[in-house]
Amino acid sequence: FISNWDKYNVWTEQCKKFLKERLKNNPKINVVGPIFSYDLGLKLELPKTKIISIFGYETHKWSCGISTIAEYQNKDLFLIHKFYSDVLDAIEGNDILLAIKRKKEFNQTLEKKYIKNIFEKLKMHPQVIYVNPKISPYRLIENTDCTISMPFTSTSVAAKFMNKNSIYYDPINQINVDDPSRCDVEVIKDKIKLTQWINLQFNLNNN
């Protein structure tokens, strides 16, 4: 990498290592942890039961970005649907709820219709809590038992920093389990292992 910056602030030791191996100007690299987002202080009411906070990634722009994450997001049109439905399948029959928080709400002009339909159906599911997008993801993580994120949203890294168990779940089996972007967060790529991980968090039978 070509850079003349003499100082970097990064989230994790993995980020620091990644930059040190590639930058030739020997900059100072500080590990500062997650940069927490502003919280409006909106009321967060959650039932007193087992709850997983879950965070997907959605793009509403029809673009052909040249990057590995853009390639991943465009690999399968049903990526978002598979992500949420697989987790719901994994908790079926158990007293566990999913707290879903989108990054933000979209107006009808910008929001892709098929994505809107996915979330409208999720809102009606009896094991789903649909959280106001204006609530800080970090406050939600703090008030739930564990976290599942789509690769590679920052929420699972933040959860790990907050001493909450977290994973990345890849429903289309495309992510390398050793990808440096995971920042030492486990990547799970199949529904059986996903179910086993969830059961482990709540001391449920994995047989």
Side-chain angles (χ1 to χ4, degrees):
F1 292 173
I2 299 174
S3 172
N4 58 5
W5 291 4
D6 59 3
K7 184 177 179 180
Y8 289 80
N9 290 331
V10 299
W11 279 31
T12 66
E13 289 290 343
Q14 290 76 20
C15 293
K16 180 177 180 178
K17 180 182 178 183
F18 181 87
L19 289 175
K20 283 188 72 174
E21 291 174 350
R22 289 161 175 81
L23 295 173
K24 305 301 182 184
N25 61 324
N26 196 31
K28 182 177 181 181
I29 304 174
N30 301 314
V31 178
V32 298
I35 301 170
F36 291 94
S37 61
Y38 181 70
D39 190 344
L40 296 174
L42 299 175
K43 194 170 184 179
L44 175 63
E45 293 183 330
L46 298 172
K48 293 183 178 180
T49 187
K50 307 178 186 74
I51 304 177
I52 302 170
S53 54
I54 182 168
F55 303 90
Y57 181 92
E58 52 190 278
T59 176
H60 294 267
K61 297 179 181 179
W62 295 105
S63 64
C64 297
I66 303 174
S67 69
T68 52
I69 196 64
E71 181 181 351
Y72 176 73
Q73 291 161 1
N74 290 288
K75 185 79 174 180
D76 191 323
L77 182 64
F78 299 102
L79 172 63
I80 298 172
H81 169 73
K82 288 177 180 178
F83 175 72
Y84 289 108
S85 64
D86 282 3
V87 181
L88 283 169
D89 286 347
I91 66 169
E92 185 178 6
N94 291 311
D95 185 23
I96 301 172
L97 301 179
L98 297 185
I100 295 176
K101 196 199 91 70
R102 301 174 73 181
K103 190 171 184 178
K104 61 181 180 179
E105 293 282 15
F106 295 85
N107 62 43
Q108 292 185 355
T109 304
L110 295 176
E111 187 173 28
K112 291 177 182 175
K113 188 174 181 180
Y114 82 93
I115 295 179
K116 176 183 173 67
N117 291 339
I118 288 171
F119 286 102
E120 289 302 317
K121 289 179 180 178
L122 286 170
K123 287 178 185 179
M124 299 171 63
H125 196 285
Q127 287 181 273
V128 166
I129 304 167
Y130 189 78
V131 178
N132 187 334
K134 294 180 181 179
I135 287 176
S136 163
Y138 307 113
R139 186 148 57 97
L140 177 59
I141 290 168
E142 187 177 32
N143 286 279
T144 51
D145 296 287
C146 55
T147 298
I148 298 174
S149 304
M150 186 183 291
F152 282 111
T153 58
S154 62
T155 43
S156 276
V157 177
K160 185 178 177 68
F161 184 82
M162 297 165 69
N163 295 316
K164 294 281 189 174
N165 290 340
S166 66
I167 57 167
Y168 286 117
Y169 177 59
D170 168 23
I172 58 173
N173 195 21
Q174 294 293 313
I175 299 296
N176 190 321
V177 295
D178 294 322
D179 192 302
S181 297
R182 69 187 181 91
C183 292
D184 208 29
V185 174
E186 182 182 2
V187 176
I188 290 179
K189 304 198 293 182
D190 70 72
K191 288 175 68 174
I192 294 175
K193 289 184 179 179
L194 172 68
T195 303
Q196 290 172 344
W197 184 86
I198 291 173
N199 289 349
L200 183 64
Q201 307 313 304
F202 300 105
N203 297 315
L204 302 176
N205 193 338
N206 262 322
N207 292 336

